[in-house]
Amino acid sequence: MARIAVIGAGMGAMAAAARLAVAGHRVAVYERTRTYGGAVRRLERDGFAFDTGPGLLTLPAVYRDLFVKTGKQPLEDCVELVQVDPSSRHVFADGTEVSLPNASRAGVVAALDEALGAGAGERWGDFLVRAREAWDRTRRPLLEEPLWPNWQVLDEKEPYPGVPHKRLWRTRRAIKLHEIGSWELRDARLAQLLNDCALAYGVDPGTAPASAAVLPYMEHAFGTWYVRGGIRELARAVYERCLQRRVEFVFDAEVVRVLEKDGRVSGVELAGGTVAEADFVVGTGPWRLGGLVPGRELYGAQDVPPEREDRYPGRMVVCLALRGARGSDAVHRTVVHSADGEGDLDLFRHGTPPELPTVVVDRPDDPALRPDGEHESMVLTSTVPAATEYDWAAPGAADAFADRMTAAAERAVPGLRERVLWREVRTPLDTERETGATGGAVPPPALAAPEGVLHPANSTAVPGLFTAGGWSHPGGGLPHAGMSGALVAGLIVEGPGFRGSR
């Protein structure tokens, strides 16, 4: 039985802790804040409740596997999963609207044909078939296996099988996401559907590789799911599973240094000087972890080098407490697409929030989130520059952008502003405070391809030191965090020969 210290109580860290504990190890989690969940938080006020992190879950199989492997109660005995249908409603600048059924290719094709014109659905459906091929090519090495020293194989060739496109005297295939929109989808609204899916994950749609096609494919193939009571209930269930496996949690405990002895980790030191001995240490990401191991290189020449966290964008979240009942025709998620698709790229090009933002509107039909049937809780989300790029603390900056988000949301919910009782505005500064991520940046998921997104491996050059969570392989998002926890547990329990679950 080994002693294992886990730094942080995010979803990836807790997933690793539960799996390590069930393998017979003694696990202690040290969290610098007063609660668990990382970015999966809940705001409660006056009988209203809001998810301030992810609002929906994709790839629920990741957490089903976690619960199967760590106890007798399956996931569905611990939380209520609801498949959201329609998966999403989309409102475009020209007034076109379309609601996409959940996990139904035929239904999506029919809906797009009806809303956008004959042929639009078929082009999107054919695109999803090609996206599935990219998914099949990359799923195991990119998501289910540790990142080995020969990771360059994921960087050699674009896995998306682009359709030949004649341009001038040459025939080309799409290697960038925006080329798929221009050459294969051939409809500005379909292109915006694709680009804004990448944007929601924090991926620059202007430079993203074509392999980012796997992001809408994941939502289409595996569905989008809501956890009754809010996604925070999933964090609660994982936390309680850890407690059942006798994982110890120490809150308000900031780790200031990873200790070494004889060339390998020996424990952690907390603020105040307390030392906790450990045979293994699991950290929360190479960028912050490097500051806890002064004078040591965590990754070698063959490893993916850690990039600055703040090169990625953050999230602006506006929680709205509304008077009036939720309409019977309301859908859970609506994406209000920007009237200026190029404006969203300003946050990547110039570090400024867009004048006309794309806004995700979440309206869960959940009595647990509202004081009574005569009120409604709503969450608006937009991708914005991290706090290192834009001064969100400047007087009026956050409120001005929240006003623009609310105005955009009103295109989908007429009369919205008149219904607002109060609102809470959360910027990347709140994310930084709660998660420790530089500038409140949010990590994107891994994408294979030249100029794709790869995060550093879960193992490091320091024996006994590992990383889990969105800032390490295989990247950000609820399912990816859960996968990182499984990979770390496998590497510790089975050793360097671990090749992923079969």
Side-chain angles (χ1 to χ4, degrees):
M1 179 178 69
R3 300 164 300 177
I4 300 175
V6 178
I7 304 172
M11 297 298 285
M14 290 197 296
R19 290 176 180 271
L20 289 167
V22 81
H25 298 297
R26 193 170 70 198
V27 184
V29 177
Y30 300 93
E31 167 58 46
R32 67 183 184 83
T33 71
R34 297 184 177 182
T35 189
Y36 54 84
V40 183
R41 299 287 179 118
R42 172 184 288 154
L43 171 67
E44 297 180 347
R45 174 180 162 188
D46 300 340
F48 293 90
F50 310 86
D51 277 325
T52 61
L56 293 175
L57 174 67
T58 56
L59 287 175
V62 172
Y63 288 91
R64 289 189 178 116
D65 181 71
L66 172 64
F67 277 72
V68 165
K69 300 289 176 57
T70 59
K72 295 181 179 179
Q73 282 185 302
L75 176 64
E76 278 82 350
D77 281 0
C78 301
V79 297
E80 182 182 353
L81 287 179
V82 181
Q83 194 167 19
V84 176
D85 202 18
S87 175
S88 55
R89 170 191 175 212
H90 295 264
V91 178
F92 297 97
D94 65 358
T96 306
E97 296 188 18
V98 60
S99 292
L100 302 181
N102 201 333
S104 169
R105 182 179 180 275
V108 167
V109 168
L112 288 172
D113 273 343
E114 181 178 354
L116 307 187
E122 183 178 1
R123 291 195 298 277
W124 185 262
D126 291 344
F127 155 72
L128 288 176
V129 172
R130 294 189 292 275
R132 176 180 179 176
E133 188 171 338
W135 169 263
D136 289 340
R137 289 176 177 177
T138 62
R139 174 184 57 84
R140 182 159 184 81
L142 186 66
L143 302 179
E144 297 178 357
E145 294 182 349
L147 198 60
W148 302 114
N150 64 341
W151 60 267
Q152 288 90 346
V153 298
L154 293 170
D155 195 42
E156 290 176 351
K157 182 180 178 181
E158 170 56 58
Y160 177 80
V163 175
H165 170 76
K166 289 187 177 180
R167 188 179 185 186
L168 297 177
W169 295 279
R170 293 186 299 169
T171 298
R172 302 181 62 185
R173 294 177 183 268
I175 60 173
K176 296 290 186 181
L177 196 70
H178 69 86
E179 293 172 338
I180 295 176
S182 299
W183 301 352
E184 300 178 9
L185 299 179
R186 303 192 308 279
D187 184 295
R189 294 161 299 183
L190 289 179
Q192 202 164 26
L193 194 68
L194 175 60
N195 290 344
D196 287 348
C197 180
L199 181 69
Y201 282 93
V203 175
D204 181 351
T207 62
S211 62
V214 300
L215 301 177
Y217 172 76
M218 283 193 306
E219 297 182 4
H220 162 77
F222 306 107
T224 51
W225 301 76
Y226 175 66
V227 180
R228 186 70 66 187
I231 293 292
R232 175 67 177 177
E233 287 299 293
L234 177 64
R236 175 198 56 78
V238 175
Y239 170 67
E240 291 181 352
R241 176 55 54 92
C242 286
L243 294 179
Q244 292 167 5
R245 306 314 306 178
R246 298 187 178 180
V247 173
E248 177 188 2
F249 283 82
V250 185
F251 295 104
D252 288 323
E254 181 178 5
V255 174
V256 296
R257 191 158 64 102
V258 173
L259 304 176
E260 294 181 73
K261 183 178 180 181
D262 299 329
R264 63 169 292 122
V265 298
S266 61
V268 296
E269 179 182 342
L270 308 180
T274 301
V275 170
E277 296 181 350
D279 304 297
F280 297 93
V281 173
V282 179
T284 56
W287 183 251
R288 276 163 286 159
L289 194 59
L292 305 181
V293 194
R296 288 293 299 267
E297 290 291 335
L298 299 188
Y299 295 92
Q302 297 300 312
D303 295 305
V304 178
E307 297 180 287
R308 290 186 62 93
E309 293 176 355
D310 56 2
R311 74 179 290 260
Y312 298 111
R315 301 283 189 272
M316 173 74 88
V317 177
V318 180
C319 303
L320 298 177
L322 305 178
R323 62 172 63 87
R326 180 183 186 272
S328 59
D329 60 344
V331 301
H332 188 113
R333 170 158 289 182
T334 299
V335 181
V336 182
H337 297 276
S338 169
D340 176 16
E342 292 298 313
D344 283 317
L345 302 185
D346 285 346
L347 69 98
F348 296 101
R349 304 293 179 272
H350 309 297
T352 57
E355 285 297 320
L356 301 170
T358 294
V359 178
V360 177
V361 182
D362 279 337
R363 306 177 68 182
D365 186 11
D366 191 341
L369 304 185
R370 55 183 182 251
D372 53 52
E374 297 305 313
H375 295 85
E376 181 182 3
S377 66
M378 180 183 295
V379 176
L380 313 181
T381 308
S382 283
T383 302
V384 298
T388 49
E389 294 288 325
Y390 186 78
D391 185 6
W392 290 109
D399 281 331
F401 189 73
D403 288 342
R404 299 205 294 272
M405 289 174 63
T406 306
E410 199 163 32
R411 290 168 43 202
V413 188
L416 173 61
R417 281 175 283 192
E418 286 71 31
R419 295 178 57 199
V420 176
L421 290 169
W422 51 263
R423 75 183 186 187
E424 291 275 356
V425 179
R426 295 173 52 84
T427 75
L429 291 171
D430 295 287
T431 306
E432 182 176 47
R433 173 174 49 82
E434 293 175 351
T435 69
T438 306
V442 178
L447 298 172
E451 300 182 38
V453 177
L454 288 178
H455 298 274
N458 307 103
S459 55
T460 75
V462 181
L465 182 61
F466 298 85
T467 65
W471 294 109
S472 55
H473 179 69
L478 278 173
H480 294 71
M483 292 178 201
S484 78
L487 292 175
V488 166
L491 287 166
I492 292 176
V493 172
E494 298 187 26
F498 175 66
R499 288 296 184 269
S501 58
R502 298 286 178 176

